[in-house]
Amino acid sequence: MRVQPKIVVLLLSISLLAAACAGNELRSEVAERAARSTTTSTIRPTVSTTTTTTTPVSEADPPSAASGFPPNWTPTPIDWKPCSKDKGAQCGDLAVPLDWSQPTGPQIRLAVGRYVHSGSGDRIGALFINPGGPGGSGLNFLFGSPFNKDVTTKFDLVSWDPRGVGQSTKIDCGANVARFLDLDPDPDTPVEQSELDAGGSSALADCATKPAVSALLSHVGTDDTARDLEALRIALADKRLNYVGFSYGTYIGQRYLQLFPTHVRAMVLDGVVDPTLDLPGLLAGQTVAMTATLDRILATCTSKQGCGLADPEAAYDALKARVEQSPLPTGDPAHTVGPAELAVATVSAMYQPEDWPVLLEALQSATAGDGSGLWKLASQYYDAGDFAAYAAITCLDEAHPVGQAAYRTFVDQLRAQSPRLGGSVGNEMLPCATWSVPSQPHPELVSGEGSPDILVVGNTGDPATPYVWAQHVTQGLSKGHLLTFKGEGHTSYGRDACIDAMVNAYLVSLKVPTEGASCSGGGGSAGV
């Protein structure tokens, strides 16, 4: 499934049904948590009219030839204007090359937003944030930012819709995407498999026939997005990059570290994608983590009086079989709950533990014939990001099985691993099997040699970006520091006051946590 903190953000969403992230999060959870939060710890910055000074930071060296960033590239200044969506926000556009190897060739548009820091003291710089996906809107995430005044008084908050996404030059593949997502993602008959194969091959086929879109398809990989991030840093006249990436946004951060390691001042990677894994490896890891999370969700029903499901595991399996035969009504004639909606609702609830009891209640209602609760959870996930961009970026970034027969063999392995979720998780990325653009993977751990300290945040219960990925990525970084959240849900920042305090201290003062530092939840609005 998508890898992104859920707006739902948010794969790598991977998840692929699940992911993040790295390649597949389907939605961005941090953004949704922030948007829904009513705590006073989430304070949006406002435009400051006070003249401030910038904390001294040395100028970054010119980019190396290996970075693929053209020397002496000069941006057209961003014309910042107030945004109508949110008081205090400013928006603008930055033109960047479609192909960074041809800097004077065709240009594309990046939609950028910011809040100017709200403090009267020294300004550290811009803090760039990305919610993940691929396909998550950075602008939507910015407008619901989880950062509090410890950060917003020191930094301008900046985000952007990455190439191919949202208000930037966008990938638009037409109505076949929705038709594919409506199909049973876990087919159990030859007819259903044939329908899914046809849907997978046609889902994104229109992309390649639209001249304005087809030229973009081979240039939406994460390395190009990392170069766009460098262009944004230059455009905002920041000497070094300050960056927080969630879920798939951690992959953007890692690729930036690979290309521009000495250009970083501070970087936080929360909900980490492991870049050494190909698409089957990523989805297999997500399948294991998501299955374990579903087991824990159902176990809370077993231990809770009044849950309404005497045997939650048996009830879930019976419901899965039931919707295969007859979709459930939702109260809306336009929507029913079939196999696809049940799978998506289940994954959607995993991203934040507050939705665990919501899922259990929805399952109880569904056993009585009412699918409205499951549809509400599923629609959260569907609304989180753009599937066309998600798939196009994932298929380009990740090595994957080519051809539907090879892909079916892979999904059969996931299904054997997890009868409840394996088919749905794997088949979300079935369009990759017949994708027209060859993949451009970078299956390597990033060392970031020459970078400053990098803070990696891992959640032991993360269903979309398993904790072992954070451990592996930290081991590869030359100056990586792992901060552990012993909790549930996808990503950690904005979920627990202990995590927030240590991340904020690092961003402001470059103070890294002690080795082995961890937080156990319960200290913030979403701690478990």
Side-chain angles (χ1 to χ4, degrees):
M1 312 298 306
R2 301 178 207 190
V3 178
Q4 75 188 17
K6 220 169 51 161
I7 292 176
V8 176
V9 21
L10 263 44
L11 66 10
L12 290 248
S13 234
I14 256 174
S15 182
L16 291 165
L17 236 174
C21 90
N24 25 15
E25 324 49 156
L26 281 182
R27 322 296 177 191
S28 183
E29 177 172 64
V30 167
E32 181 173 88
R33 287 203 307 270
R36 288 163 83 180
S37 175
T38 58
T39 63
T40 56
S41 63
T42 299
I43 301 175
R44 293 176 182 162
T46 56
V47 175
S48 172
T49 58
T50 305
T51 301
T52 60
T53 60
T54 302
T55 303
V57 176
S58 60
E59 195 75 48
D61 297 330
S64 69
S67 72
F69 196 88
N72 303 317
W73 181 82
T74 302
T76 301
I78 298 174
D79 182 15
W80 295 105
K81 296 179 180 178
C83 297
S84 59
K85 287 187 176 181
D86 202 17
K87 183 179 179 181
Q90 299 176 346
C91 293
D93 296 332
L94 178 67
V96 296
L98 168 68
D99 182 348
W100 274 105
S101 69
Q102 300 179 27
T104 61
Q107 304 288 293
I108 61 173
R109 168 182 173 270
L110 300 179
V112 191
R114 73 174 179 180
Y115 289 102
V116 177
H117 78 293
S118 58
S120 58
D122 287 350
R123 169 188 177 274
I124 294 175
L127 177 62
F128 292 87
I129 57 177
N130 180 274
S137 167
L139 295 184
N140 289 346
F141 184 64
L142 177 69
F143 298 146
S145 164
F147 296 93
N148 68 20
K149 63 182 180 181
D150 292 343
V151 173
T152 60
T153 56
K154 296 292 186 180
F155 293 94
D156 301 341
L157 291 189
V158 180
S159 194
W160 77 107
D161 284 353
R163 54 175 58 209
V165 176
Q167 297 181 47
S168 295
T169 301
K170 183 180 180 179
I171 294 173
D172 180 7
C173 294
N176 285 339
V177 168
R179 296 189 187 104
F180 169 70
L181 295 177
D182 282 342
L183 295 170
D184 185 345
D186 190 11
D188 53 7
T189 69
V191 171
E192 288 180 347
Q193 184 67 61
S194 178
E195 290 175 343
L196 188 65
D197 286 345
S201 63
S202 63
L204 306 179
D206 287 351
C207 294
T209 64
K210 297 180 178 181
V213 177
S214 61
L216 184 60
L217 296 182
S218 60
H219 297 289
V220 292
T222 302
D223 273 23
D224 279 327
T225 293
R227 295 182 187 104
D228 292 345
L229 180 55
E230 173 69 354
L232 287 164
R233 179 191 71 82
I234 295 170
L236 269 67
D238 262 27
K239 294 180 178 179
R240 306 270 173 165
L241 181 78
N242 300 288
Y243 177 77
V244 180
F246 299 94
S247 197
Y248 162 76
T250 69
Y251 188 50
I252 296 174
Q254 290 176 71
R255 294 311 303 168
Y256 184 94
L257 270 178
Q258 178 71 11
L259 301 178
F260 311 102
T262 63
H263 292 195
V264 176
R265 174 190 172 272
M267 180 175 287
V268 178
L269 307 176
D270 183 0
V272 184
V273 172
D274 186 339
T276 66
L277 299 174
D278 58 10
L279 185 58
L282 285 165
L283 294 182
Q286 287 184 332
T287 297
V288 170
M290 290 184 172
T291 300
T293 299
L294 179 57
D295 289 346
R296 293 195 296 273
I297 293 174
L298 296 177
T300 64
C301 181
T302 302
S303 63
K304 178 182 177 183
Q305 290 185 347
C307 172
L309 297 173
D311 186 338
E313 291 195 6
Y316 187 92
D317 293 339
L319 182 62
K320 188 174 187 295
R322 176 180 176 180
V323 297
E324 282 277 356
Q325 303 302 320
S326 180
L328 299 176
T330 65
D332 180 351
H335 300 291
T336 58
V337 171
E341 292 77 17
L342 174 61
V344 171
T346 301
V347 168
S348 177
M350 296 178 184
Y351 279 82
Q352 47 189 16
E354 295 88 344
D355 278 342
W356 288 18
V358 177
L359 174 62
L360 293 173
E361 184 177 348
L363 292 173
Q364 182 180 348
S365 296
T367 60
D370 177 8
S372 59
L374 291 174
W375 171 249
K376 184 176 180 180
L377 282 170
S379 62
Q380 285 183 176
Y381 189 81
Y382 288 134
D383 292 343
D386 186 328
F387 182 83
Y390 162 48
I393 296 168
T394 299
C395 298
L396 190 63
D397 272 351
E398 307 301 327
H400 53 74
V402 176
Q404 290 177 332
Y407 203 93
R408 192 177 309 127
T409 298
F410 154 62
V411 173
D412 285 344
Q413 295 169 353
L414 288 188
R415 189 179 289 111
Q417 187 178 37
S418 173
R420 290 187 180 126
L421 297 175
S424 300
V425 171
N427 277 320
E428 185 180 37
M429 285 291 97
L430 178 59
C432 289
T434 52
W435 189 231
S436 60
V437 183
S439 62
Q440 302 171 12
H442 297 282
E444 58 188 342
L445 275 181
V446 171
S447 70
E449 192 66 41
S451 78
D453 293 316
I454 305 299
L455 182 58
V456 179
V457 186
N459 182 335
T460 58
D462 197 317
T465 49
Y467 178 67
V468 292
W469 294 358
Q471 292 176 306
H472 193 209
V473 167
T474 304
Q475 292 166 3
L477 291 169
S478 63
K479 301 190 74 173
H481 303 268
L482 178 61
L483 171 60
T484 299
F485 177 58
K486 298 177 180 179
E488 299 286 357
H490 180 38
T491 70
S492 303
Y493 187 85
R495 188 184 296 286
D496 178 73
C498 168
I499 291 290
D500 293 358
M502 284 194 266
V503 170
N504 292 348
Y506 165 74
L507 289 172
V508 173
S509 304
L510 302 180
K511 178 183 178 181
V512 296
T514 58
E515 184 175 355
S518 66
C519 298
S520 297
S525 62
V528 177

